[in-house]
Amino acid sequence: QVQLVESGGGLVQAGGSLRLSCAASGRTFSTYGMGWFRQAPGKEREFVAAISWRGGITYYADSVKGRFTISRDKSKNTMYLQMNSLKPEDTAVYYCAANNRVIARASSEYDYWGQGTQVTVSS
C-alpha cells in the first residue's frame, strides 16, 4: 500500500503561483508513475500532469502546458506541482495519484489517491 498526502493548496489571485506537494509513504514506490488530477465543482476529474518516478518523463494536459511543472524528489518521496500564471479556471480540488505500472493520463490507471487539496484562483 502507498499513502499519499497533498498539501500546498490555497487562495491566490489570477496570475499568481502555488506549489503543491504530494508526500508518499508506505511501500516503496521507486517504480511507480505518479500524476496530478483536478476536479472542479460539477465537472469530471481531469488529468493535469504525470511523471515517471525513475526517469522523470513528464506529460501535461494542454490546458496547463507552459504554466505548470511537475517534478519529484526521490530522497523525500515527494512529488510537486509548480503552478504559475494561475487562472480562475484552474480552481479545483487537486489530487495526486500513483500506480506501479506506467505513467498515464487516464485516472483509471492509478491505484492510489490522496485526499485532495483545494486551489482557488480569484479573478
Side-chain angles (χ1 to χ4, degrees):
Q1 289 284 351
V2 174
Q3 292 79 43
L4 303 172
V5 179
E6 303 97 334
S7 62
L11 173 64
V12 64
Q13 289 188 332
S17 299
L18 282 174
R19 188 177 79 157
L20 305 183
S21 299
C22 175
S25 61
R27 181 182 173 184
T28 178
F29 65 108
S30 61
T31 58
Y32 285 10
M34 296 189 73
W36 287 99
F37 291 79
R38 66 187 182 186
Q39 188 166 19
K43 296 187 176 181
E44 293 187 352
R45 189 169 299 187
E46 66 172 357
F47 170 77
V48 176
I51 189 166
S52 67
W53 193 253
R54 281 184 171 177
I57 297 170
T58 58
Y59 294 159
Y60 292 95
D62 288 343
S63 59
V64 306
K65 201 173 295 183
R67 299 188 298 124
F68 291 10
T69 303
I70 190 172
S71 62
R72 85 275 191 245
D73 186 330
K74 295 180 182 179
S75 66
K76 296 181 179 179
N77 284 349
T78 301
M79 176 179 66
Y80 303 98
L81 185 68
Q82 178 66 44
M83 305 186 294
N84 298 328
S85 302
L86 282 161
K87 305 175 181 180
E89 50 264 43
D90 294 318
T91 295
V93 177
Y94 283 70
Y95 299 90
C96 68
N99 71 49
N100 60 0
R101 296 179 294 281
V102 294
I103 58 170
R105 298 173 184 268
S107 60
S108 59
E109 292 288 349
Y110 290 87
D111 304 309
Y112 306 104
W113 291 84
Q115 82 290 348
T117 185
Q118 176 71 47
V119 171
T120 303
V121 184
S122 62
S123 57

